Amino acid sequence: MNVAISFLKKPLVIALLLIVALLYLGEGLSPGFASADQILRLLIVASLLGIVAAGQNVVILGGREGIDLSVGGVVSLSAIIAGNVMNGADGGILPAVLACLAAGAFFGLLNGLGVTLLRIPPLVMTLGMLGVLQGLLVVIRNGIPSGRAAPGLSAFVTQPLVLGIPGIIWLWIAVGLFMAFMLSRTVFGHRIYAIGSNEHAAYMAGVPVRRMRIGLFMISGMFAAVAGLCLLGYSGSSFANVGEQYMLSSIIAVVFGGTSLAGGKGGYTGTMAGALLLVILQGILTTVNIDESGRQMVFGATLLLLMLFYGRGRAMRA
Amino acid sequence: MTPTTTETLSSHAGGLKLWLERYPFLPALIIVVALLALNGAFSPNSLGYRSLTGLLSTYMALIMLAIAQTYVVSAGDIDLSAGATLSLVNVAIVVLMEKWGGGAGAVVGAMLLGVLLGLVCGVINGIVVAALRLQAIVATFATSIFFTGVALYVMPVAGTPAPALFWRTYGGRLLGLPFVFYVLAALALLLFLLSRTRLVTQLLAVGDDQQAAYQTGLPVVLIRIKGYALCGLFSALAAFCLTGDTASGDPLVGGKMTLYSVAAVVLGGSALAGGWTTVVGSLLGALTIGLVNSLVFFMGTPSEWQNFVQGLAILFVLMAGVLAGRRARA
């Protein structure tokens, strides 16, 4: 019995149960919601969020109030860079990928340097960086057209690739396997948990804390850049601030996955379920016929309700 | 005995530290003065009575919102719904004032209900974060979505005008002085009175070390809820200033202001981790944002570069604010 209860209390299990429940609810509210086609579409949207959340996840795991508010800006920037580099030609995909990764890594590096060398709290540093990125987007958009996705990229994101499943979902699965491997099987992964749960002890044990933390922010920037690239493939062309929605929803996906914002505890498998949960919830709210105000109220209230299932803080004890 | 020890111990740098300890908003003040001087250098007109009054009435809403944020930050919390609360109070008072005919009675009645609404939003946040123990960043983001939904329900599309009486008073003069000066004076008095209350000290105690505060017997949960209520109250006051400035209701107006309010708190020299905050600093921090924006304009920056230069300048002053604040606390 106790085993069963502790099993049911695992964030991943909670998220999966909620996902199934929501799919049933969606199917009940509007028949066809849980059809294979629809689920594939939800999975595509979830993989975009999930890839951003992967970077957010490692930054949060690394502790010291780690958080990356600039991911939304990087997603938008990457979409616009990719659109201009490839400009509708398949031959431009590889240069676009490289350019996006470089941009993501660059802004991650700046975040990391500010957080480690100047010891600016991550929230402040990445908030300031978000402002810079938003300004940069205005500059770029005024100078050049927004650019188009290459057909190959669009097909990768929206068309079936292998076994009837689009390439982006395979990419997300690959990201999931990579993260699981990195976090549980590599020295780097173990060090993330080490600096996240006790930075000082990790430092004493010889972990290069600063370099690690800079690396985490660079990983976050690069994942956001990949998501921006895929987002361009999903929507065909980039438009103003496409990435903005990912800032806080990537954090919520991480929290729904059972990773504590305090750092050092959690993993990516739960975050994947969290991203899916969030996307299904939004999907249901768009299918249901209520106006925008009701949708927002229900969304906000449901988020709060769902949070009650996860990592609540400890009660004060004397 | 004590004074002499302090004197002998304090070298030159120590003296500076004492100053910073007593007036933690000094770095922010220096930044504001420097920005004012730069503004004046690029456009002497911008230091005129009229432009400064204009700047103050435009940024008064952000000043109030930054102060609102300061009280939750004092206790080590954060409120990402402050902007949404502002929007909700903004549309609610505009709709109420219109419904009740737009006379003096309607304005006062709507404002009273607006204050109440702000307090309710704050208490909801407080219960969610302190009593239900959800993580402040994500929980107040969720409540912000909820409050935005309510605001959209009250007024689905932006544009309902506020009664002339309301914005004419806010933008006008009283006894020969611009009305915003009275707002500022009232704010100063309110802040002074609040600073003498036990609550502000308790908020700082909770923010400094929650466990220690609990063990000394402070009702930590209740104090944090009160902090959020104070935040809701000032968000409502911010909504009044905004309504006076824009003269209309907009259910999404505050969304973008939330992150600016957090930035203003940091610019002012407060520590986001809690336990060390300054409301005067937050006021100056909000002014810094306003002055940076106008400076970038007066420098003749090409319009497409303005946002970028603003972003960069704010990032730099944010860093300066954090570094100076740490020096003061170290």
Side-chain angles (χ1 to χ4, degrees):
Chain A
M1 190 60 197
N2 274 337
V3 179
I5 287 177
S6 65
F7 176 72
L8 285 176
K9 274 190 153 177
K10 280 201 161 91
L12 179 62
V13 179
I14 298 177
L16 289 176
L17 287 177
L18 285 169
I19 285 171
V20 173
L22 280 179
L23 281 177
Y24 264 102
L25 179 70
E27 181 69 24
L29 287 171
S30 97
F33 182 81
S35 67
D37 269 8
Q38 276 301 317
I39 290 186
L40 268 190
R41 184 170 305 176
L42 288 172
L43 276 170
I44 292 176
V45 179
S47 35
L48 293 167
L49 174 59
I51 293 171
V52 181
Q56 189 72 260
N57 207 161
V58 290
V59 168
I60 291 176
L61 275 179
R64 221 181 66 202
E65 291 147 21
I67 203 159
D68 189 349
L69 294 185
S70 69
V71 285
V74 175
V75 170
S76 304
L77 181 72
S78 159
I80 206 165
I81 290 178
N84 279 288
V85 172
M86 60 179 76
N87 208 7
D90 278 345
I93 294 184
L94 188 65
V97 170
L98 295 177
C100 289
L101 284 177
F106 175 71
F107 284 100
L109 176 69
L110 293 185
N111 281 332
L113 288 175
V115 167
T116 52
L117 292 186
L118 299 175
R119 289 188 297 144
I120 313 284
L123 187 82
V124 180
M125 186 64 209
T126 57
L127 172 65
M129 194 55 74
L130 178 67
V132 174
L133 283 164
Q134 281 169 342
L136 198 57
L137 286 172
V138 177
V139 176
I140 296 180
R141 202 162 276 125
N142 267 306
I144 48 177
S146 67
R148 283 173 301 121
L153 179 69
S154 298
F156 175 78
V157 177
T158 54
Q159 302 302 317
L161 184 73
V162 180
L163 300 174
I165 293 174
I168 184 160
I169 299 177
W170 290 112
L171 177 68
W172 192 27
I173 294 172
V175 168
L177 291 174
F178 166 76
M179 290 284 288
F181 176 76
M182 183 182 82
L183 290 176
S184 60
R185 290 278 182 273
T186 66
V187 175
F188 184 78
H190 286 275
R191 283 177 168 178
I192 297 177
Y193 288 102
I195 64 171
S197 40
N198 191 334
E199 181 174 353
H200 191 64
Y203 178 76
M204 292 311 227
V207 176
V209 175
R210 281 186 175 178
R211 259 188 297 154
M212 284 285 303
R213 217 176 278 292
I214 295 174
L216 297 184
F217 278 99
M218 288 175 74
I219 291 175
S220 174
M222 287 194 283
F223 271 123
V226 170
L229 187 86
C230 296
L231 189 61
L232 175 77
Y234 183 68
S235 56
S237 62
S238 67
F239 45 93
N241 277 336
V242 276
E244 209 179 82
Q245 46 166 329
Y246 291 104
M247 177 175 84
L248 287 158
S249 50
S250 64
I251 299 169
I252 292 202
V254 171
V255 169
F256 278 178
T259 298
S260 149
L261 286 185
K265 228 192 261 172
Y268 183 61
T269 329
T271 303
M272 291 176 85
L276 194 55
L277 180 61
L278 205 55
V279 167
I280 294 177
L281 183 60
Q282 278 170 323
I284 290 182
L285 286 171
T286 28
T287 24
V288 178
N289 188 22
I290 42 174
D291 54 3
E292 187 58 23
S293 62
R295 198 170 290 152
Q296 299 241 17
M297 282 190 259
V298 175
F299 188 46
T302 317
L303 286 181
L304 282 176
L305 199 66
L306 291 180
M307 278 170 205
L308 287 174
F309 288 105
Y310 296 98
R312 290 170 61 202
R314 261 180 299 167
M316 299 263 50
R317 294 267 183 279
Chain B
M1 186 65 202
T2 328
T4 18
T5 353
T6 337
E7 228 163 87
T8 41
L9 279 179
S10 67
S11 60
H12 188 69
L16 181 72
K17 209 187 124 191
L18 272 184
W19 270 82
L20 278 173
E21 218 160 76
R22 187 166 304 166
Y23 307 106
F25 54 83
L26 270 184
L29 186 63
I30 293 169
I31 291 177
V32 164
V33 170
L35 282 170
L36 276 174
L38 280 172
N39 265 300
F42 280 101
S43 154
N45 267 343
S46 71
L47 291 190
Y49 183 59
R50 190 179 273 274
S51 349
L52 286 183
T53 315
L55 184 84
L56 202 57
S57 52
T58 308
Y59 283 93
M60 194 49 104
L62 186 59
I63 289 175
M64 294 281 190
L65 205 64
I67 290 169
Q69 193 69 256
T70 313
Y71 288 114
V72 277
V73 167
S74 298
D77 290 316
I78 197 164
D79 185 359
L80 294 189
S81 75
T85 306
L86 182 154
S87 309
L88 177 55
V89 174
N90 165 251
V91 293
I93 60 168
V94 167
V95 165
L96 284 177
M97 288 191 288
E98 196 202 24
K99 196 172 257 177
W100 291 339
V107 168
V108 173
M111 285 171 74
L112 284 178
L113 276 179
V115 165
L116 199 64
L117 188 59
L119 281 172
V120 168
C121 289
V123 169
I124 291 177
N125 279 324
I127 290 174
V128 163
V129 173
L132 295 178
R133 306 196 301 272
L134 298 182
Q135 311 190 58
I137 291 185
V138 280
T140 56
F141 174 56
T143 56
S144 87
I145 297 176
F146 183 80
F147 296 155
T148 307
V150 181
L152 281 167
Y153 176 77
V154 175
M155 187 187 291
V157 214
T160 310
L165 172 68
F166 189 84
W167 58 265
R168 283 217 176 110
T169 311
Y170 181 79
R173 286 161 172 274
L174 189 67
L175 303 174
L177 277 177
F179 188 75
V180 273
F181 285 14
Y182 294 96
V183 176
L184 194 63
L187 175 67
L189 183 68
L190 183 60
L191 291 181
F192 176 72
L193 291 178
L194 272 172
S195 72
R196 321 222 67 174
T197 61
R198 206 174 295 166
L199 177 60
V200 169
T201 317
Q202 288 173 336
L203 283 170
L204 290 169
V206 170
D208 190 45
D209 189 336
Q210 198 165 318
Q211 186 67 35
Y214 181 80
Q215 284 175 340
T216 35
L218 290 178
V220 171
V221 172
L222 190 66
I223 290 170
R224 287 170 77 195
I225 294 179
K226 282 182 186 165
Y228 273 103
L230 212 48
C231 176
L233 171 73
F234 274 93
S235 303
L237 299 181
F240 299 160
C241 298
L242 186 100
T243 315
D245 189 50
T246 63
S248 67
D250 179 350
L252 303 174
V253 66
K256 288 219 183 298
M257 292 174 73
T258 306
L259 290 178
Y260 278 117
S261 74
V262 176
V265 170
V266 179
L267 287 175
S270 299
L272 265 191
W276 173 282
T277 52
T278 149
V279 277
V280 180
S282 300
L283 185 154
L284 294 169
L287 276 181
T288 303
I289 293 176
L291 286 169
V292 163
N293 290 349
S294 71
L295 177 63
V296 170
F297 176 76
F298 286 129
M299 271 164 53
T301 319
S303 65
E304 69 269 23
W305 284 90
Q306 281 180 11
N307 289 43
F308 178 66
V309 178
Q310 280 164 10
L312 214 54
I314 288 175
L315 177 63
F316 279 120
V317 267
L318 274 176
M319 290 179 175
V322 170
L323 295 177
R326 184 176 307 129
R327 252 191 99 86
R329 290 190 296 278

